[in-house]
């Protein structure tokens, strides 16, 4: 199988750097690059403690994964380098993750990682190595449009990762390549088996790489011990209903874990007051949002404002919106919109850009 790496010249004589995480996706990208006839260099970033990571599964950029990436590179006969970015990763991703929870927000560390070590530092490494492009195993499509490279959803909707790549800049998109964007995942595994890659049946990453078992609170508590300070659970009038064991255990829209009984209807976290260490709860109707103001907006489109859709969580269904350049306005009330998450804007399958949700406007007026 041949894949177009959009090099603009014959692959023979070109150089492709592949970001190799040790998983099946990036391994197949490396194999497809090698099959193209280009010189291929595999690069793996060590992002957290090697000794602590050995043997951990369902993550990326850990000890076993580095070994797997090297094994695949050896099988393909390509060069492979490992770079230690543990300090940069801790500062730009892990500590930011903890600080966002401390502020009562819901962070997305995978976007921060793509913004930082992966699409900034790694891209710089690829340029230093004289590569024509940096190829990754992300499931998105890079399409050459009338105004330059465009970012589009993957052909396989179940694997689409465009939500996590909204912060990719035009300059980065010019240099990046996503060879798997047009392929279904079963075919990628089949290719890996045909090529005899040891990672062909390796499980996909499921947890955030530095949060084994999905225990966010334990990670935040380790980085910021003060995050476990107790506080009050109050209703929207400020009446105390109970106590909590730390804001790190709660996000907007959450229902479980409140441990408050005797209420007429189920209660949800509707707001987190980090300064007062208070969790504010209310009925599901209080979660309805009609608008959200964004910050740090990255725009890949032109002047589109109407007829757009937005995703406010990675697994959310795209909702019709209007965009005024600073905020998105929902056609119908949207639920589970949390500060700290991203709002990603689309025109059909094309990613127009997005930003970080700073504050929301409720669909109903809250009690005074």
């Amino acid at each position: 199988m041949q894949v177009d790496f959009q090099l603009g010249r014959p692959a023979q004589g070109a150089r492709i750097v592949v970001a190799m995480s040790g998983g099946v996706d990036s391994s197949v990208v490396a194999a497809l690059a090698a099959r193209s006839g280009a010189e291929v260099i595999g690069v793996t970033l060590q992002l957290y403690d090697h000794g602590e990571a050995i043997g951990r599964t369902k993550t990326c950029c850990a000890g076993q994964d580095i070994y797997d990436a090297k094994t695949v590179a050896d099988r393909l006969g390509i060069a492979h380098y490992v770079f230690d970015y543990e300090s940069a990763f801790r500062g730009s991703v892990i500590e930011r993750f903890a600080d966002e929870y401390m502020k009562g927000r819901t962070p997305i560390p995978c976007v921060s990682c793509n913004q930082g070590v992966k699409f900034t530092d790694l891209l710089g490494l690829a340029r230093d190595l004289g590569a024509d492009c940096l190829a990754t195993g992300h499931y998105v499509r890079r399409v050459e449009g009338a105004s330059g490279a465009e970012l589009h959803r993957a052909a396989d909707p179940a694997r689409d990762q465009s939500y996590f790549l909204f912060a990719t800049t035009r300059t980065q998109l010019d240099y990046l390549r996503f060879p798997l964007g047009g392929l279904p995942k079963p075919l990628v595994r089949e290719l890996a088996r045909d090529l005899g890659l040891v990672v062909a049946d390796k499980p996909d990453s499921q947890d955030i790489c530095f949060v084994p078992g999905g225990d966010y609170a334990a990670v935040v508590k380790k980085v910021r011990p003060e995050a476990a300070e107790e506080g009050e659970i109050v209703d929207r009038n400020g009446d105390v209903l109970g106590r909590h064991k730390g804001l790190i255990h709660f996000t907007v829209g959450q229902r479980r874990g409140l441990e408050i009984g005797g209420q007429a209807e189920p209660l949800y976290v509707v707001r987190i007051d980090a300064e007062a260490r208070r969790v504010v709860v209310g009925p599901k109707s209080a979660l309805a949002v009609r608008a959200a103001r964004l910050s740090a907006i990255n725009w890949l489109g032109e002047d589109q404002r109407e007829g757009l859709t937005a995703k406010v969580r990675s697994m959310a269904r795209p909702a019709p919106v209007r965009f005024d350049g600073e905020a998105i306005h929902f056609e119908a009330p949207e639920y589970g919109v949390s500060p700290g998450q991203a709002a990603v804007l689309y025109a059909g399958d094309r990613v127009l850009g997005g930003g970080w949700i700073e504050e929301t406007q409720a669909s109903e007026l809250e009690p005074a």
Side-chain angles (χ1 to χ4, degrees):
M1 178 180 181
Q2 294 293 330
V3 170
D4 182 10
F5 280 83
Q6 302 173 312
L7 298 175
R9 66 180 179 122
Q12 287 78 7
R15 177 178 292 171
I16 298 174
V17 166
V18 178
M20 298 184 68
S21 68
V24 62
D25 297 324
S26 59
S27 296
V28 169
V29 170
L32 293 173
R35 183 176 286 185
S36 75
E39 178 190 0
V40 180
I41 300 174
V43 172
T44 301
L45 302 182
Q46 180 182 319
L47 299 181
Y48 46 87
D49 184 74
H50 182 275
E52 191 177 290
I54 289 177
R56 184 181 298 170
T57 60
K58 299 186 179 180
T59 63
C60 68
C61 309
Q64 181 62 46
D65 301 307
I66 292 173
Y67 175 80
D68 288 342
K70 175 176 173 49
T71 301
V72 169
D74 289 344
R75 166 79 178 181
L76 298 174
I78 64 173
H80 178 251
Y81 301 102
V82 178
F83 292 90
D84 184 355
Y85 271 72
E86 183 179 343
S87 295
F89 183 74
R90 180 179 177 87
S92 65
V93 179
I94 298 178
E95 291 185 1
R96 179 178 174 180
F97 175 82
D99 289 341
E100 286 287 274
Y101 263 107
M102 290 285 292
K103 296 174 184 175
R105 294 160 62 87
T106 305
I108 317 174
C110 295
V111 176
S112 300
C113 186
N114 288 330
Q115 280 184 299
V117 292
K118 286 188 178 175
F119 284 1
T120 300
D121 298 328
L122 182 52
L123 192 143
L125 280 172
R127 290 191 185 278
D128 289 342
L129 289 169
D132 291 81
C133 69
L134 170 65
T136 80
H138 289 100
Y139 283 84
V140 290
R141 290 181 295 137
R142 179 186 182 275
V143 177
E144 289 289 351
S147 301
E150 299 174 356
L151 189 63
H152 287 243
R153 284 192 180 99
D156 184 347
R159 301 298 306 176
D160 176 55
Q161 294 174 299
S162 60
Y163 179 84
F164 299 103
L165 300 182
F166 82 90
T168 306
T169 67
R170 288 182 181 274
T171 300
Q172 291 169 344
L173 191 56
D174 283 340
Y175 193 65
L176 290 164
R177 300 294 186 272
F178 308 108
L180 304 187
L183 305 179
K185 183 60 178 266
L187 176 57
V188 173
R189 287 203 180 274
E190 184 179 328
L191 286 170
R193 295 187 192 100
D194 291 344
L195 291 162
L197 304 183
V198 295
V199 296
D201 296 305
K202 186 175 181 178
D204 292 329
S205 299
Q206 294 178 356
D207 298 327
I208 294 173
C209 65
F210 59 90
V211 187
D215 191 351
Y216 301 161
V219 172
V220 177
K221 188 176 178 180
K222 183 176 180 181
V223 178
R224 299 285 186 266
E226 63 273 25
E229 293 181 6
E230 295 186 3
E232 297 173 335
I233 299 176
V234 302
D235 63 19
R236 292 179 295 164
N237 291 312
D239 296 329
V240 178
L241 302 179
R243 294 190 63 80
H244 65 78
K245 297 181 180 180
L247 298 179
I248 53 177
H249 298 287
F250 301 95
T251 59
V252 171
Q254 182 174 328
R255 179 180 172 186
R256 294 184 178 182
L258 292 172
E259 299 179 355
I260 298 173
Q263 302 298 312
E265 57 184 318
L267 295 178
Y268 298 79
V269 177
V270 298
R271 190 173 68 253
I272 294 176
D273 184 345
E275 187 173 345
R277 296 203 305 279
R278 279 183 158 189
V279 174
V280 183
V281 299
K284 185 176 181 179
S285 60
L287 290 171
V289 166
R290 62 180 175 182
R293 182 176 64 83
L294 311 181
S295 67
I297 295 171
N298 180 60
W299 196 247
L300 295 170
E302 288 75 46
D303 297 321
Q304 299 94 331
R305 292 291 183 266
E306 306 286 344
L308 310 181
T309 60
K311 291 181 67 171
V312 294
R313 299 178 307 282
S314 62
M315 300 303 291
R317 182 174 298 177
V321 297
R322 175 177 58 83
F323 179 51
D324 65 13
E326 294 183 356
I328 53 175
H329 303 265
F330 299 98
E331 288 187 7
E334 183 73 8
Y335 292 82
V337 185
S338 176
Q341 292 279 80
V344 181
L345 290 146
Y346 297 84
D349 283 337
R350 183 184 175 188
V351 179
L352 297 177
W356 299 101
I357 299 170
E358 287 298 323
E359 60 182 358
T360 60
Q361 185 175 359
S363 289
E364 63 169 28
L365 293 176
E366 294 194 21

